[in-house]
Amino acid sequence: MNKLKHTTRAQESTNAIERLYITMRHLFNRGFYKPMGVSGETLRNALLQLRPEIYGSIAEEKTELNGLIYVLERLPEGIEQCRFINLTSDEGYAKSHFKAIIPPKRRRNCYRIDDEQMNIEITRGRSDIYDILTHLTFLFVESQKIAKRVLIEDTDRTIRDWMKLEEAISKNKLTQTEREVALIHTANILGRSFTEAIEIHKKFATKTEPDRFLKIVYWLGKLAIEEEITGDKRAITFTPLLRERLGHHIHGERWANAIKECLNEHGLLKRPIHIISANMHSVMNSLFAKNALVKEFGNKPELEIYEALSSPENGALRNKVTSVAKKNGMLTVDDTSGTNIDVQIFDTAKLGKDVCCFELREGIPDDKKPVIFVMDYAFGEQAYETIDEFLKPYKKKKNQEVFLDVASISIMGKAGILEGGKGDLMIPTSHIFEGTADNYPFKNEFSAKDFEGNGLKVLEGAMITVLGTSLQNKDILKFFHESTWNVIGLEMEGVHYQKAIQAASKVRKSIREDVKVRYAYYASDNPLETGSTLASGGLGTTGVKPTYLITDKILTQIFNS
């Protein structure tokens, strides 16, 4: 008889991801579920089996602290206090008296309806739902750990540490001594050292809420304890309108139409259009900053100027650059569609003499000069929804369509690198869609040679588009990196952009077939290195150099085309 073959950790992890997504879709179609009940058990077990790098020690008894920071930066403030979480479509809450709560690291509108309920608006597609449900599952797993540690077995009584934390929370303001005493008890509850508790307490502290960390631990534990004692389960619901609207490109269509109307109003609809998916500062600064700030910086290196502009205290410098940009053909289209994707449009025919840091070839008539259209980062599947809608012809009247002259599409993004460190570069030659056999080879106008000699490591090869960065673990990533797939990095939008571009240029013929495509990514983290995941913190100024290097290469190709 053949020996039984054991599945590898990579295979088990792949199965766990598949189970997570099938389960999330099932629960969405069902309309509600109880995360700590039978319906939520599959999600919890799959996440515990997967053990994603971003969630650190989720499968261990001790509480995961860096993962907690990462998750709570992407969920609305106060969500740990809510027993009922309602995922909704854009259903008019903005017109009510409720004030929108926007998480610091995810642009989504959330509304605290009462003491027990939080509503979260989903306007960015399925990827947003996957992201939220994964983060919530992590929170529920961690809250259950706290409840298990503080509840005395076979009773409804709690240990002394919990009583002392409750006592500290009931006070309006803590002295330094009281705070440290509370942190000693909290550290015991979390299975962490006092030093770790102090460190994480500082990271959570704000001016208005210096003891936010203690309150978060208390509320996570409180709701989990109440579930254990009373049986009243927390619940997540999806509104009927959200279930009906999802997948219909409602927000993407509104977004695309608003931009095309703006282009039409300014007579730019028939000009060559160069799309750039990037942030809302690097293109504008690359075009205008050096010349606009010559008094302040003289002949100092451009990188020094860009680092200064990225510093929060230099608002006056940023305003000066923005003012020069607006006087020289920049239009801004603030988002009202719900996509949370702002837009800048640069009309190169309106560039004043010696204002722009790039020059067009001489002799190009104004009606042939390029229009640069910069869109803020999309999120996961939203990339397909927005670009697919934008590349469709503009309907001026009922039977009158205007086809856009899209000359190039450039995608600059952050990605996880599998061989290198934060700030290094990845130039993809193809995108692979995780969990499927779908692959998208394409001709990238960029190559590794374009970026060499700048002090950054440059990798060229296949990249994997993942269903969610928070669901990756080392075993899956090692498989993709070390097998014949030879994957160099992972991100969330590449396949979705490419799917829309190929459909428009090769199948629907709504844009030119020879549209130039550029992709370049810089590393935000290395999920194969311990301590280098997204949960370890942001890029800081490390991201300035690769961001502006990629932007410079994109603009150089556009101006020379």
Side-chain angles (χ1 to χ4, degrees), residues 25-206:
R25 286 203 169 201
H26 162 71
L27 295 173
F28 173 74
N29 290 330
R30 183 184 175 196
F32 78 98
Y33 78 102
K34 294 178 178 176
M36 302 312 292
V38 176
S39 51
E41 193 174 4
T42 310
L43 278 184
R44 297 197 312 273
N45 290 344
L47 201 65
L48 288 167
Q49 183 182 8
L50 185 61
R51 298 197 295 277
E53 299 310 307
I54 231 156
Y55 296 147
S57 56
I58 185 173
E60 298 173 29
E61 278 188 25
K62 63 184 179 183
T63 300
E64 167 53 35
L65 299 178
N66 283 329
L68 195 63
I69 291 176
Y70 179 82
V71 162
L72 289 174
E73 283 179 337
R74 285 152 180 81
L75 291 173
E77 191 177 336
I79 197 161
E80 70 281 353
Q81 302 171 13
C82 296
R83 193 183 303 280
F84 304 102
I85 296 160
N86 200 15
L87 271 57
T88 77
S89 178
D90 178 0
E91 298 177 21
Y93 299 112
K95 295 173 185 172
S96 69
H97 72 281
F98 295 112
K99 190 181 175 186
I101 305 167
I102 301 168
K105 296 289 177 75
R106 279 282 185 272
R107 289 168 300 173
R108 49 173 71 113
N109 291 333
C110 311
Y111 300 91
R112 183 77 178 263
I113 303 303
D114 54 38
D115 289 346
E116 291 191 312
Q117 184 176 332
M118 181 75 75
N119 282 15
I120 303 175
E121 267 185 6
I122 305 292
T123 56
R124 304 174 79 185
R126 284 193 183 89
S127 296
D128 222 9
I129 293 176
Y130 300 153
D131 191 58
I132 289 165
L133 293 188
T134 312
H135 292 334
L136 287 175
T137 304
F138 165 82
L139 268 193
F140 294 131
V141 168
E142 294 301 326
S143 71
Q144 195 178 37
K145 285 184 197 175
I146 295 169
K148 278 185 177 176
R149 290 183 78 92
V150 302
L151 271 173
I152 298 167
E153 207 172 339
D154 299 325
T155 70
D156 59 2
R157 289 183 294 115
T158 54
I159 61 173
R160 183 171 177 271
D161 290 303
W162 183 256
M163 294 176 199
K164 290 294 178 184
L165 176 59
E166 271 188 313
E167 199 178 296
I169 292 298
S170 64
K171 294 176 182 175
N172 287 331
K173 199 174 180 183
L174 296 176
T175 64
Q176 186 62 24
T177 306
E178 287 171 333
R179 183 174 293 118
E180 287 182 359
V181 168
L183 282 168
I184 288 169
H185 293 297
T186 304
N188 206 28
I189 289 165
L190 302 177
R192 292 286 187 170
S193 70
F194 176 59
T195 308
E196 287 173 312
I198 284 180
E199 213 172 285
I200 211 80
H201 182 275
K202 285 176 188 170
K203 288 179 182 177
F204 271 110
T206 63

Side-chain angles (χ1 to χ4, degrees), residues 235-383:
I236 293 175
T237 53
F238 308 90
T239 64
L241 204 56
L242 173 64
R243 289 153 68 202
E244 181 188 311
R245 283 178 173 178
L246 198 72
H248 290 296
H249 290 199
I250 288 166
H251 301 287
E253 188 177 17
R254 278 185 207 154
W255 175 85
N257 286 343
I259 295 155
K260 288 174 198 171
E261 279 164 20
C262 178
L263 290 169
N264 187 43
E265 280 170 27
H266 292 85
L268 306 174
L269 207 57
K270 293 186 179 180
R271 297 257 297 276
I273 296 170
H274 295 265
I275 300 169
I276 303 176
S277 170
N279 49 59
M280 287 288 99
H281 55 80
S282 64
V283 173
M284 178 179 70
N285 290 343
S286 295
L287 289 172
F288 301 108
K290 189 171 185 186
N291 292 344
L293 302 175
V294 74
K295 283 183 182 176
E296 290 83 354
F297 291 94
N299 290 320
K300 284 186 178 176
E302 287 181 17
L303 190 61
E304 199 174 313
I305 300 171
Y306 300 145
E307 283 179 350
L309 285 166
S310 67
S311 183
E313 62 266 20
N314 287 331
L317 293 179
R318 288 192 292 276
N319 290 340
K320 189 172 181 181
V321 177
T322 305
S323 175
V324 170
K326 284 182 175 176
K327 287 173 187 171
N328 288 273
M330 184 179 86
L331 304 166
T332 56
V333 184
D334 292 328
D335 178 62
T336 56
S337 66
T339 59
N340 282 312
I341 297 177
D342 291 336
V343 162
Q344 292 167 336
I345 297 166
F346 298 89
D347 180 358
T348 60
K350 290 188 177 176
L351 294 175
K353 188 173 169 54
D354 300 327
V355 173
C356 183
C357 302
F358 294 82
E359 284 186 17
L360 289 167
R361 285 182 293 107
E362 285 185 20
I364 303 173
D366 280 359
D367 64 346
K368 295 295 178 190
K369 286 182 178 176
V371 171
I372 299 169
F373 159 56
V374 183
M375 59 181 281
D376 209 347
Y377 295 118
F379 185 66
E381 287 185 23
Q382 190 190 33

Side-chain angles (χ1 to χ4, degrees), residues 318-514:
R318 288 192 292 276
N319 290 340
K320 189 172 181 181
V321 177
T322 305
S323 175
V324 170
K326 284 182 175 176
K327 287 173 187 171
N328 288 273
M330 184 179 86
L331 304 166
T332 56
V333 184
D334 292 328
D335 178 62
T336 56
S337 66
T339 59
N340 282 312
I341 297 177
D342 291 336
V343 162
Q344 292 167 336
I345 297 166
F346 298 89
D347 180 358
T348 60
K350 290 188 177 176
L351 294 175
K353 188 173 169 54
D354 300 327
V355 173
C356 183
C357 302
F358 294 82
E359 284 186 17
L360 289 167
R361 285 182 293 107
E362 285 185 20
I364 303 173
D366 280 359
D367 64 346
K368 295 295 178 190
K369 286 182 178 176
V371 171
I372 299 169
F373 159 56
V374 183
M375 59 181 281
D376 209 347
Y377 295 118
F379 185 66
E381 287 185 23
Q382 190 190 33
Y384 175 72
E385 178 179 334
T386 48
I387 287 291
D388 182 59
E389 289 297 330
F390 184 75
L391 298 182
K392 289 177 181 176
Y394 174 59
K395 289 186 178 178
K396 265 189 170 182
K397 293 176 185 174
K398 198 172 184 182
N399 296 314
Q400 189 183 354
E401 288 186 332
V402 178
F403 287 81
L404 303 182
D405 180 13
V406 178
S408 75
I409 301 170
S410 305
I411 312 296
M412 173 176 75
K414 289 185 286 190
I417 199 166
L418 301 184
E419 187 186 316
K422 289 185 177 187
D424 288 338
L425 301 176
M426 290 154 279
I427 312 301
T429 52
S430 61
H431 286 288
I432 303 155
F433 197 15
E434 179 187 45
T436 71
D438 299 353
N439 52 82
Y440 295 80
F442 57 92
K443 184 187 181 303
N444 194 343
E445 294 297 313
F446 284 148
S447 69
K449 286 180 184 175
D450 295 324
F451 296 91
E452 285 168 357
N454 289 286
L456 297 171
K457 187 171 187 172
V458 189
L459 300 177
E460 191 169 5
M463 288 191 73
I464 183 166
T465 298
V466 297
L467 294 156
T469 51
S470 58
L471 288 182
Q472 304 314 304
N473 70 4
K474 285 183 181 177
D475 305 293
I476 295 176
L477 299 178
K478 274 180 184 170
F479 164 75
F480 277 115
H481 183 50
E482 293 168 7
S483 70
T484 51
W485 284 111
N486 193 29
V487 167
I488 58 170
L490 64 144
E491 48 76 55
M492 279 185 69
E493 291 81 29
V495 157
H496 305 299
Y497 280 124
Q498 197 55 32
K499 194 162 57 171
I501 295 164
Q502 286 183 195
S505 61
K506 312 284 188 205
V507 183
R508 302 167 89 162
K509 311 286 186 186
S510 58
I511 62 170
R512 59 169 78 173
E513 197 167 343
D514 63 346

